[in-house]
Amino acid sequence: MHDLVIIGGGPAGLSAGIYATRYGLDIIVLEKNEISGQIALTDIVENYPGFTSIKGMELMERFKKHAQDAGVTFQSSEVLNVKNKGTIKIISTDSGELEAKSVIIATGANPRHLGIPGEEEFIGRGVSYCATCDGPFFTNLNVIVVGGGDSAITDALILSKIAKKVTIVHRRDSLRAVKIMQDRAFSANNIEFIWDTVVEEIIGNDGVEKVVLKNVKSGNVKEMPIEGVFIYVGIHPNTGFVEIDKNQSGFIITNDRMETSAAGIYAAGDCRKTLLRQVVTAASDGAVASLAAYEYVAGVRPEQ
Amino acid sequence: MHDLVIIGGGPAGLSAGIYATRYGLDIIVLEKNEISGQIALTDIVENYPGFTSIKGMELMERFKKHAQDAGVTFQSSEVLNVKNKGTIKIISTDSGELEAKSVIIATGANPRHLGIPGEEEFIGRGVSYCATCDGPFFTNLNVIVVGGGDSAITDALILSKIAKKVTIVHRRDSLRAVKIMQDRAFSANNIEFIWDTVVEEIIGNDGVEKVVLKNVKSGNVKEMPIEGVFIYVGIHPNTGFVEIDKNQSGFIITNDRMETSAAGIYAAGDCRKTLLRQVVTAASDGAVASLAAYEYVAGVRPEQ
């Protein structure tokens, strides 16, 4: 039986692993992919303190190497279920069962879908949730970006250097991305904006050919010819495999020790209900969760 | 009037600065020294994710450069007083007054003193709180390290490579440093331990010559000849300049948005009441505090 099983190999899980090995715990990190985390799909990260500008993939490779150097053991598995049997937690994976005294859930979150006709049908054929992944397929084509937050504007800027024209379609009349990203978007000469508007349908044959747009103020509906649709309307957490207290969107509820409603089970990073989802906040969560798990497993609670 | 004044140029303050400039706030970071933060005095940092091993000073130089690249403005000033006049905060410094809509306090903490006879008298002449700073003065001499936590053991290991012999004097019968550091200390061949013992007095002439030790279980008192005394018995926060809610040790009380008892004043990093004081947790605090300050100054509260 392991002292601690960490589920997820993104910033929160790797930071938890680094800290847990330093606490002397017998741990294993379960990860679905060789390099995990939404951040690995991000083009450039400019806000992880210590790196003025670094590719998301490169930052995650550095986290992974740090964890390996610290002696973290990895296993490539997808977790199907976590059962809380009191002092023993049973982790069922696609490659067998594990037992642990404690668990840190650091499974992150994935892009939310719009849930409109044509969306699922055209994924990979014009519909995307990641400009870094799919941008190059749209070289010199016209695309829309749906959303007005940090992710939408960050990826609109990436696409503006690849596509012919980028149109940001946002359901409100202003962006909520950070100011520096807004400034860059407003000054890009091939980015345009359609305000107060939602996408109602995605239409095409082999690939996307047009979208149906609806102005939420006037109620007017019109079609717009387009070759690509990039969607950034929030994230949903990967927490379906465990029954613990969550909010209505599925984010796990924790206290400031990262403790969940189940003793010995902790959550860290994007999968928990939190104020800010950044590499540095996820890494901090992972460190705190490992401290809490260490104190739980060792039966101690050092002075703070 | 600035949107935001950040007090302190350590990990929390610099991270807050990086985030705040990205939010488009007009900010200034006040720092006492060119490179700040207790961490800059730390020899090697092995637990800031992304860096397997880096000198504390080098990590802080990277944070500082990142903040400069992001457009953060710095001012070298010591803050004497922060007054909360509702929507305006008045920051009095040794180089004049500043006005701001919001303030982030990231002033960190300093080593706590034992408060015993001889301690203040011999600071810089045998008494130290920082092996990285003062270790080389004790080459091939005998030193004691007082304490049993992470800082004590980390610095004992540094000293073991410089001094002839290091004796760790701890008031308990076990260490509370993380396991990996304990293992290293127990396997060092010039580190010894005196358990259940406190230092009652430091005695010398030009420099330290001996300490008076008392076993807390037997009550026995004895003298021990020694040339250096390194003290690691906790930290106290630098928060005397502001009247907001603190715990009895002076650490500022915040919620998970880093909000203090005064609207528009935030605290981040070692100076606040928190579970874990690490570079990564301080940097995360700074990011969250900047988000909260941005929302306060802009009068918005974006969806989470």
Side-chain angles (χ1 to χ4, degrees), chain B residues 10-24:
Chain B
L14 294 174
S15 176
I18 291 163
Y19 271 81
T21 54
R22 292 176 63 82
Y23 287 121

Side-chain angles (χ1 to χ4, degrees), chain B residues 215-234:
Chain B
N215 185 299
V216 294
K217 287 191 172 160
S218 66
N220 286 346
V221 173
K222 66 168 185 179
E223 290 190 350
M224 176 184 181
I226 203 79
E227 284 130 339
V229 180
F230 286 80
I231 298 167
Y232 305 90
V233 292

Side-chain angles (χ1 to χ4, degrees), chain A:
Chain A
M1 182 158 62
H2 296 285
D3 288 329
L4 171 64
V5 166
I6 297 167
I7 308 174
L14 294 175
S15 176
I18 291 164
Y19 271 82
T21 53
R22 292 176 62 81
Y23 287 122
L25 297 180
D26 162 27
I27 72 153
I28 191 160
V29 173
L30 305 181
E31 48 177 9
K32 260 200 293 196
N33 307 307
E34 180 69 20
I35 296 283
S36 301
Q38 281 294 108
I39 200 68
L41 304 178
T42 304
D43 189 29
I44 298 290
V45 177
E46 295 179 342
N47 55 11
Y48 184 67
F51 298 94
T52 298
S53 181
I54 185 169
K55 282 185 178 296
M57 178 60 86
E58 189 188 337
L59 183 58
M60 278 305 90
E61 284 166 354
R62 289 189 63 127
F63 268 57
K64 181 85 182 264
K65 177 171 190 310
H66 188 169
Q68 286 166 332
D69 290 343
V72 173
T73 309
F74 291 89
Q75 181 179 310
S76 183
S77 296
E78 183 170 357
V79 172
L80 306 172
N81 196 280
V82 172
K83 283 227 157 55
N84 182 20
K85 305 273 186 191
T87 53
I88 301 178
K89 324 296 177 193
I90 313 288
I91 302 98
S92 305
T93 81
D94 59 359
S95 51
E97 260 187 20
L98 291 164
E99 288 186 355
K101 295 175 188 165
S102 65
V103 172
I104 294 175
I105 299 169
T107 43
N110 283 114
R112 194 186 288 157
H113 291 197
L114 285 169
I116 57 171
E119 183 179 16
E120 305 300 323
E121 182 185 347
F122 290 108
I123 288 176
R125 296 187 297 142
V127 170
S128 170
Y129 305 85
C130 175
T132 303
C133 319
D134 301 325
F137 297 119
F138 299 88
T139 306
N140 285 324
L141 300 180
N142 293 309
V143 301
I144 63 168
V145 165
V146 184
D150 285 336
S151 300
I153 307 310
T154 300
D155 274 20
L157 287 163
I158 292 168
L159 290 166
S160 73
K161 294 186 186 118
I162 302 168
K164 188 191 291 176
K165 192 173 83 177
V166 177
T167 304
I168 295 174
V169 177
H170 188 37
R171 66 192 161 120
R172 297 167 189 270
D173 62 2
S174 64
L175 303 176
R176 62 182 173 83
V178 297
K179 181 73 163 43
I180 193 172
M181 303 307 287
Q182 292 196 28
D183 291 346
R184 291 181 191 172
F186 289 133
S187 63
N189 52 28
N190 66 338
I191 295 183
E192 294 183 3
F193 295 84
I194 299 180
W195 303 106
D196 299 315
T197 297
V198 296
V199 182
E200 290 211 312
E201 191 176 350
I202 300 167
I203 298 169
N205 285 295
D206 292 340
V208 170
E209 291 172 7
K210 57 191 174 182
V211 285
V212 178
L213 303 179
K214 180 183 178 182
N215 185 298
V216 294
K217 287 191 172 160
S218 68
N220 287 346
V221 173
K222 64 168 187 180
E223 290 189 351
M224 176 183 182
I226 203 76
E227 285 130 339
V229 180
F230 286 80
I231 299 167
Y232 305 90
V233 292
I235 54 173
H236 72 89
N238 303 314
T239 58
F241 59 88
V242 61
E243 281 178 30
I244 45 178
D245 287 358
K246 305 168 194 168
N247 72 3
Q248 60 184 13
S249 303
F251 293 98
I252 296 169
I253 293 168
T254 70
N255 62 14
D256 62 358
R257 294 172 58 82
M258 307 301 140
E259 291 167 341
T260 68
S261 57
I265 301 182
Y266 308 86
D270 284 6
C271 68
R272 78 177 185 101
K273 180 176 179 289
T274 185
L275 296 160
L276 185 60
R277 293 191 173 84
Q278 298 284 301
V279 176
V280 72
T281 53
S284 175
D285 281 5
V288 172
S290 272
L291 171 66
Y294 162 70
E295 292 178 10
Y296 174 81
V297 169
V300 296
R301 184 132 174 191
E303 302 153 66
Q304 303 299 342

Side-chain angles (χ1 to χ4, degrees), chain B residues 12-115:
Chain B
L14 294 174
S15 176
I18 291 163
Y19 271 81
T21 54
R22 292 176 63 82
Y23 287 121
L25 297 180
D26 162 26
I27 71 151
I28 190 159
V29 173
L30 305 181
E31 48 177 9
K32 260 201 291 196
N33 308 308
E34 181 68 20
I35 296 284
S36 301
Q38 281 294 109
I39 199 68
L41 305 178
T42 304
D43 188 30
I44 298 289
V45 177
E46 294 180 341
N47 54 11
Y48 184 66
F51 297 96
T52 298
S53 179
I54 186 169
K55 282 185 178 294
M57 177 61 85
E58 189 187 337
L59 183 59
M60 278 305 89
E61 284 166 354
R62 288 189 65 126
F63 268 58
K64 181 84 182 266
K65 178 170 189 312
H66 188 170
Q68 286 167 332
D69 290 344
V72 173
T73 309
F74 290 89
Q75 181 179 309
S76 181
S77 294
E78 183 170 357
V79 172
L80 307 173
N81 197 280
V82 172
K83 282 224 158 56
N84 181 20
K85 305 274 188 192
T87 54
I88 301 178
K89 323 297 176 192
I90 313 288
I91 302 99
S92 305
T93 80
D94 59 359
S95 52
E97 259 185 21
L98 291 164
E99 288 186 357
K101 293 175 189 165
S102 65
V103 173
I104 294 174
I105 298 170
T107 42
N110 283 113
R112 194 184 290 158
H113 292 198
L114 285 170

